[in-house]
C-alpha cells in the first residue's frame, strides 16, 4: 500500500511482505474503480432486462395460446397477444419483438423498470465495491496488525483504524473521532484523499449524491478491517461537503 | 536416546472461530496419527482461551503444555485471532542431520525464543496467503460458509501455502534463527 516517506522508512525493515505502490497509481485505482463498477452493473442490468423481456414475451405468448381456446376472451384483446405469440413461436426472443407482442403490460413494466433499475444498479455498484473493499480490509488488517500489541477492546481497534490503517491507505490520520461509548463511532476526515481530485462546477447540484459511490470502497475497507479484528459492524460513509468525508461505524449490538 | 534432537512434529493453523484451517504432520501419515494430533490441537485451544485475557502485549504464547516426555506444544495468537500451534518432538530426528554443529543439544531443552522464527515464518506465509486475491477468508470460516450453504471442508487448499508450511516444518531445528 501507499506510504509517505517517513512510514516507508519505518516499515521497510526486515518484513518480507512489504511491497510499495506508487501513490498516483493508488489514486487512479481508487478513482477508476467506481466507473468500472458502474459500467459492470449497468451492463449486467441491461443484459438481465433483455433476458427478462425475452422470457416475458414467451410467457405472454403461451398465456395467449391458453386463452385462445377460451371463449370468454374478446377478440379485441386477443389480436395483439396473438401476434406476440407468433413472434415468440417464430423463435424470435429479441426484446423489441417481445415487447411489441406483450403490449401494454410490457410497456408498464419497463416504464417503472427505469426508476427501479437505477436503484438496482446503484445497489449492485455498492455491493460490488463494498465487497472488494471488505476483502482488501481483511488482508490489510492481517498484514499490518502483525507487529502491533494486542487489541483488548473495540476502541483499540478503532484507534488502529484511525491512525495506522488510515495513514497506510489514505496517507493521513483521521481528523476527528467521536463515539457515544455505546458502540457507535463517527470518523471524520476533513481532507479525504479519494475525494480530493473531484472538481465541481459552480451551481451544480447533486454533487454530494454523485460523489457518494467513491465512498463505497473505503467503507468496505473499514468493515473488512473491523471484521478481521473480530468486530461485526455496519459502516456508512457520507460526505458533508467535498473533500471531507465522515464514516459512521455501528458495531453489532450498539445502542443509539 | 540422547543422540536424537528436537524437530517439529506438527504444525496446526486454527482460525478465528476455532476452526481448523490447516494441519501438517512431520513426517506425514502414517508415520504420525492425524487423529492424535487433532486431539492435541483441540486441547491447546483451552490454553489459548485461558491465557488470552492475561496476555495483553505479545502474540507469542510460548509453551502451552508439555504433553509427555517427548511432545510439547507451543502457540502463537495473531491480532486477528488466528492461532498457530507447533508441536515439537524432542526426539524427532537423529542428531547431526539437520542441526550440524548444534548436535547433542537435545538435553538442554528448548527456550520459547527458539520457536519464534517458526511462528514469524508461519505468519508471513499466512499473510502471503491473504494477499492472494483468489483466497476468500470467509469461505474458510464456519460461520459464513454455513450461511451460504457450502458443504465440505473449510481447510486451506492453497498449494503454495501448504508447501511453505511443509518447508518451515522440515527446516526448523533448535538454533535456527531465520526461516
Amino acid at each position: 500500500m501507499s506510504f509517505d516517506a517517513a512510514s516507508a522508512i519505518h516499515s521497510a525493515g526486515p518484513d518480507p511482505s512489504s511491497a510499495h505502490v506508487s501513490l498516483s497509481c493508488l489514486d487512479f485505482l481508487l478513482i477508476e474503480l467506481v466507473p468500472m463498477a458502474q459500467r459492470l452493473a449497468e451492463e449486467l442490468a441491461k443484459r438481465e432486462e433483455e433476458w427478462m423481456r425475452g422470457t416475458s414475451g414467451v410467457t405472454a405468448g403461451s398465456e395467449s395460446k391458453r386463452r385462445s381456446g377460451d371463449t370468454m376472451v374478446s377478440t379485441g384483446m386477443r389480436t395483439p397477444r396473438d401476434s406476440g405469440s407468433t413472434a415468440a413461436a417464430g423463435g424470435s426472443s429479441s426484446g423489441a419483438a417481445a415487447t411489441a407482442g406483450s403490449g401494454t403490460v410490457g410497456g408498464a413494466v419497463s416504464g417503472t423498470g427505469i426508476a427501479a433499475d437505477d436503484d438496482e444498479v446503484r445497489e449492485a455498484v455498492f455491493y460490488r465495491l463494498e465487497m472488494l473493499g471488505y476483502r482488501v480490509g481483511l488482508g490489510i488488517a492481517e498484514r499490518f496488525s502483525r507487529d502491533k500489541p494486542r487489541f483488548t477492546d473495540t476502541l483499540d481497534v478503532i484507534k488502529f483504524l484511525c491512525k495506522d490503517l488510515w495513514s497506510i491507505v489514505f496517507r493521513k490520520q483521521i481528523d476527528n473521532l467521536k463515539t457515544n461509548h455505546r458502540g457507535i463511532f463517527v470518523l471524520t476526515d476533513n481532507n479525504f484523499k479519494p475525494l480530493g481530485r473531484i472538481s465541481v462546477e459552480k451551481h451544480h447540484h447533486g454533487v454530494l449524491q454523485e460523489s457518494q459511490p467513491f465512498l463505497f470502497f473505503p467503507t468496505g475497507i473499514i468493515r473488512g478491517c473491523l471484521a478481521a479484528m473480530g468486530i461485526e459492524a455496519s459502516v456508512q460513509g457520507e460526505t458533508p461537503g467535498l473533500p471531507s468525508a465522515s464514516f459512521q461505524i455501528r458495531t453489532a449490538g450498539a445502542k443509539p | 536416546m540422547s543422540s536424537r534432537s528436537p524437530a517439529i512434529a506438527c504444525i496446526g493453523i486454527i482460525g478465528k472461530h476455532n476452526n481448523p484451517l490447516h494441519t501438517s504432520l512431520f513426517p506425514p501419515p502414517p508415520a504420525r496419527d492425524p487423529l492424535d494430533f487433532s486431539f492435541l490441537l483441540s486441547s491447546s485451544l483451552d490454553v489459548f482461551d485461558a491465557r488470552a485475557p492475561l496476555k495483553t502485549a505479545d502474540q507469542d504464547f510460548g509453551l502451552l503444555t508439555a504433553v509427555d516426555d517427548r511432545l510439547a506444544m507451543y502457540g502463537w495468537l495473531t491480532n486477528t485471532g488466528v492461532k498457530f500451534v507447533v508441536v515439537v518432538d524432542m526426539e524427532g530426528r537423529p542428531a547431526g542431520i539437520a542441526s550440524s554443529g548444534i548436535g547433542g543439544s537435545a538435553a538442554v531443552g528448548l527456550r520459547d525464543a527458539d520457536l519464534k522464527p517458526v511462528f514469524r515464518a508461519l505468519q508471513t506465509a499466512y499473510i502471503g496467503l491473504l494477499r492472494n486475491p483468489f483466497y476468500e477468508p470467509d469461505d474458510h470460516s464456519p460461520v459464513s460458509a454455513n450461511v451460504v450453504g457450502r458443504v465440505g471442508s473449510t481447510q486451506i487448499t492453497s498449494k503454495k501455502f501448504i508447501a511453505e508450511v511443509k518447508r518451515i516444518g522440515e527446516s526448523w531445528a533448535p538454533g535456527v534463527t531465520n526461516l
Side-chain angles (χ1 to χ4, degrees), chain A residues 2 34 63 71 94 128 147 156 188 200 202 207 209 226:
Chain A
S2 66
V34 176
E63 202 176 81
T71 48
S94 81
R128 184 178 295 271
D147 296 320
D156 276 348
T188 317
V200 190
K202 263 188 183 168
V207 192
Q209 181 76 19
L226 291 173

Side-chain angles (χ1 to χ4, degrees), chain A residues 16-19 134-135 138-139 141-143 145-152 227-230, chain B residues 16 55-59 61 77-80 120 123-124 126-127 130-132 135-138:
Chain A
S17 54
S18 168
Y134 175 75
R135 177 63 185 83
L138 286 181
E142 191 72 55
R143 158 77 175 77
S145 69
R146 74 177 289 171
D147 296 320
K148 298 274 174 257
R150 185 173 308 289
F151 306 119
T152 44
M229 306 297 186
Chain B
K16 200 183 313 183
K55 290 279 293 185
T56 49
D58 203 4
Q59 313 197 5
F61 275 59
L77 173 65
T78 72
N79 279 330
T80 52
R120 291 216 177 279
Q123 193 168 9
T124 304
Y126 187 72
I127 289 169
L130 268 175
R131 281 151 56 111
N132 176 357
Y135 176 76
E136 274 293 337
D138 282 352

